[in-house]
Amino acid sequence: RPSVDHAPKIIGGDVALYENGAPLLVLTKVAIPTSFRQACIGVKATPKARTEGLITTSQAFGTLTRNALRAADFCSTSALSASHPKEHRELVSMGSTLAGVYREHASSIYEDHRIKADGIPRDFRLRDTPFTSGNLNKHASLSYHLDKGNALNVWSAMVVLRERVSGGYLVLPEFGVSLELVDGACLLFDGQSTWHGLTPVATQPGGYRFSVVYFSLRQAWNCLPFKDELARAKAKYTEKERALVGSNVSAARLCGGL
């Protein structure tokens, strides 16, 4: 379990870490619109397993990439955009704010990310940002992990909302620091290559802690423009239907020969 004992240097406020002149992370603060806070509180987060087996209480938004294992072999927008359109718009809008912070504080990494993201159809990006997707997380602790499935060598952006809670330090053992993430804290770093974990959160009545993370899914570069993606999905469905009919005919022939 993550602990500040693993990285006892606690830092907060406006901070930037560098290694050999290259930025490793940026921690700053952004204004939180009331509408965004209400959207986070209003969306129901559900327990689910992440790619690396971690259990989190979260809600995805933005783009979902192809996943044949869950019978969704097509790129799509998360169900939240239909079930909670107002809240989804608020989450996406904050992505534009964080992209601006990203561009301001890590311009070279942002520019590289933006150029790479031009290879993703606009249909599957969060407005004018290089991000494709996001997660609204509500959790008491998160073990050390890497953000598997994200694009390589670019950064993710995270904003934290908290009220009447304690704990919830983000521990970065490789850097030897624990980050104090206050309400409105904005963190930019490469979660794909940097180990990180969240210390337990103690919540008082009426309290909450949300982290909203924006990132680019590595598989989003395989997505086609929406119309082409839809045509591909229909073709795939037709193939499966034909295969199913063929297997039923074969089974009928086999049974008829018994």
Side-chain angles (χ1 to χ4, degrees):
R1 174 181 290 191
S3 168
V4 293
D5 293 336
H6 304 157
K9 184 176 181 179
I10 299 175
I11 57 177
D14 289 340
V15 175
L17 297 183
Y18 293 83
E19 183 177 57
N20 299 323
L24 295 174
L25 68 80
V26 171
L27 175 62
T28 185
K29 194 173 181 181
V30 297
I32 304 296
T34 300
S35 55
F36 177 73
R37 190 180 301 273
Q38 291 174 339
C40 292
I41 294 173
V43 171
K44 182 180 180 181
T46 56
K48 61 188 67 176
R50 290 172 43 147
T51 305
E52 58 273 34
L54 298 173
I55 302 298
T56 63
T57 302
S58 62
Q59 176 62 59
F61 60 91
T63 294
L64 301 178
T65 53
R66 299 172 190 166
N67 188 336
L69 295 179
R70 60 178 173 84
D73 190 19
F74 52 86
C75 296
S76 63
T77 302
S78 72
L80 189 68
S81 63
S83 64
H84 294 74
K86 181 180 177 180
E87 289 81 357
H88 190 269
R89 285 194 297 270
E90 288 293 334
L91 293 170
V92 172
S93 180
M94 177 57 75
S96 295
T97 299
L98 299 194
V101 177
Y102 186 4
R103 181 174 57 248
E104 176 184 355
H105 291 277
S107 58
S108 61
I109 299 174
Y110 173 86
E111 185 62 15
D112 181 57
H113 194 169
R114 185 194 65 78
I115 291 171
K116 289 178 178 177
D118 282 343
I120 302 171
R122 283 281 179 175
D123 297 329
F124 296 111
R125 287 168 56 181
L126 299 180
R127 290 189 184 172
D128 56 345
T129 80
F131 307 124
T132 66
S133 314
N135 270 322
L136 167 63
N137 303 303
K138 180 180 180 181
H139 41 54
S141 182
L142 196 58
S143 60
Y144 291 120
H145 65 284
L146 298 173
D147 295 334
K148 296 182 180 179
N150 290 2
L152 299 174
N153 303 316
V154 297
W155 284 8
S156 301
M158 177 176 73
V159 64
V160 171
L161 288 75
R162 57 185 292 157
E163 178 72 28
R164 294 193 289 278
V165 298
S166 59
Y169 291 92
L170 190 74
V171 183
L172 306 170
E174 296 172 273
F175 301 159
V177 299
S178 296
L179 302 180
E180 182 179 14
L181 303 177
V182 300
D183 187 69
C186 171
L187 176 64
L188 303 163
F189 78 119
D190 182 0
Q192 175 79 17
S193 62
T194 304
W195 286 93
H196 54 288
L198 187 73
T199 66
V201 176
T203 306
Q204 299 177 21
Y208 56 81
R209 183 191 186 278
F210 297 104
S211 64
V212 188
V213 187
Y214 299 80
F215 48 86
S216 295
L217 288 171
R218 197 184 313 172
Q219 294 302 317
W221 275 264
N222 294 326
C223 295
L224 303 172
F226 181 78
K227 289 183 179 179
D228 296 332
E229 195 68 35
L230 182 59
R232 178 185 177 277
K234 289 180 177 178
K236 285 279 186 181
Y237 180 79
T238 301
E239 288 177 10
K240 290 180 180 179
E241 286 291 296
R242 287 174 178 170
L244 181 60
V245 170
S247 64
N248 288 340
V249 170
S250 297
R253 286 175 179 169
L254 177 60
C255 291
L258 291 179

